[in-house]
Amino acid sequence: MEKRQLGTTGLHVYPITFGGNVFGWTIDEKRSFELLDAFTGKGFNFIDTADVYSRWKPGNEGGESETIIGNWMKKRGNRKEVIIATKVGSDMGQGKVDLSKKYIMKAVDASLKRLQTDYIDLYQSHWDDPETPFEETLDAYADLIKAGKIRHIGASNLTAERLKEALQVAQQHSLALYETFQPHYNLYERAAFEDGLEPVCLGNNLGVLNYYSLASGFLTGKYRSKDDLSKSPRGGGVEKYLDDRGFKILAALDEVAKQLKTKQATVAVAWLIHRPSVTAPIVSATSIEQLESIMKAADLDITAHEIELLTQESAW
């Protein structure tokens, strides 16, 4: 397992990112600590979260994930050993996506406090905010980089056209430049990224940290029919994959997993790791067993033929 440079940043990460969306949602702090210990115990070093995680759970206000990660880093004394990415701009009670300079300056301090750190390695725009000019958002980030509160910036959930525009604005006005991008991308969800965004990311050497790497668990093979949807709180997001193409993808995953004597989830993540545009897929886990199958993807001895089979069978 070798580290990869994250875009043009000075950050080097192992090729799997732990997604912190489950912290404070489907798992409590104790279980979160266990999973983070297991993840870093295998040498992995990259954790992604957002200020809004997990505001959607009844009784939560947002910030629960950052708080858990902050408590864990303080208890373990390992801030310098891990790379922390978080996001800003989601609705935290303001009623809209907000990437205004005024809001970012307030939100970053709240994230720093929850994370119990004085800097964030990668600060990302969570959603597009068409009401705020890119100049304003990127100027805010430039000030935060100068102040040492953040080291690098990234974007998420932009169209190819808007991502290109943001990069052009940064270059034209000598502002902070997005160095990473987070797309929704996996073996099933390929078209939106590959048809427009992937060339932009490759052409600008952006580090790609794709989310929903396992399609809400569908690519683990756990969901084979509508009767299986009740197996997890995330099952509701899987029903759309139960179609002919989805079953074709599962059959290919079953075949390769059998050949390699491993789990379908391991194969699905390994396919992503071997994509030329992807730096470190974001994957969540709620049990040690799930996490171990994911981590094995980094060292899976998968052949070019097996990768091509998965690519062909998941074509849309």
Side-chain angles (χ1 to χ4, degrees), residues 16 20 38 67-68 153 157-158 181 187 193 220 228 240 245:
I16 293 174
T67 298
I68 287 172
I153 63 167
N157 299 305
L158 289 176
F181 186 69
L187 260 173
F193 178 63
T220 66
D228 294 331
K240 60 187 174 184
R245 180 166 169 263

Side-chain angles (χ1 to χ4, degrees), residues 12 19 36 66 88 162 183 186 196 216 227 235 239 256 259 269 273 282 286 291 298 310 315:
H12 289 79
L36 286 166
E66 288 181 334
V88 64
R162 290 285 284 170
N186 54 55
S216 298
D227 292 338
E239 187 171 357
V256 175
Q259 289 172 356
V269 176
I273 289 172
I282 301 170
T286 56
L291 182 60
L310 293 165

Side-chain angles (χ1 to χ4, degrees), residues 102-141:
K102 181 180 180 182
Y103 180 76
I104 288 172
M105 293 311 212
K106 177 184 174 184
V108 73
D109 286 338
S111 286
L112 288 166
K113 184 177 181 180
R114 288 188 290 261
L115 289 164
Q116 300 182 59
T117 183
D118 54 5
Y119 68 96
I120 293 163
D121 297 292
L122 178 64
Y123 203 43
Q124 303 157 101
S125 298
H126 204 161
W127 302 97
D128 193 5
D129 175 13
E131 294 181 12
T132 303
F134 282 127
E135 290 93 330
E136 180 178 340
T137 301
L138 299 175
D139 182 58
Y141 291 146

Side-chain angles (χ1 to χ4, degrees), residues 24-132:
W25 173 29
T26 51
I27 55 175
D28 61 14
E29 182 167 283
K30 181 176 181 292
R31 174 62 63 86
S32 300
F33 278 26
E34 291 170 358
L35 291 170
L36 286 166
D37 287 342
F39 185 69
T40 53
K42 290 289 187 179
F44 294 96
N45 65 334
F46 196 19
I47 301 159
D48 175 79
T49 187
D51 56 4
V52 77
Y53 297 165
S54 49
R55 192 170 186 268
W56 54 83
K57 181 181 178 181
N60 283 3
E61 297 179 351
E64 289 78 17
S65 177
E66 288 181 334
T67 298
I68 287 172
I69 293 167
N71 290 342
W72 173 73
M73 290 192 296
K74 183 178 181 182
K75 192 165 186 179
R76 301 294 183 260
N78 64 354
R79 176 64 187 94
K80 292 181 179 178
E81 283 75 59
V82 292
I83 294 172
I84 300 296
T86 192
K87 308 179 202 73
V88 64
S90 287
D91 182 4
M92 286 284 283
Q94 72 272 29
K96 63 174 184 176
V97 171
D98 195 345
L99 290 175
S100 66
K101 184 168 185 176
K102 181 180 180 182
Y103 180 76
I104 288 172
M105 293 311 212
K106 177 184 174 184
V108 73
D109 286 338
S111 286
L112 288 166
K113 184 177 181 180
R114 288 188 290 261
L115 289 164
Q116 300 182 59
T117 183
D118 54 5
Y119 68 96
I120 293 163
D121 297 292
L122 178 64
Y123 203 43
Q124 303 157 101
S125 298
H126 204 161
W127 302 97
D128 193 5
D129 175 13
E131 294 181 12
T132 303

Side-chain angles (χ1 to χ4, degrees), residues 15 20 24 58 64 90 99 159 168 185 230 241 250 259 261-262 292:
E64 289 78 17
S90 287
L99 290 175
T159 63
Q168 289 166 356
Y185 185 52
S230 61
Y241 302 126
L250 286 184
Q259 289 172 356
K261 296 182 174 59
T262 191
E292 285 179 346

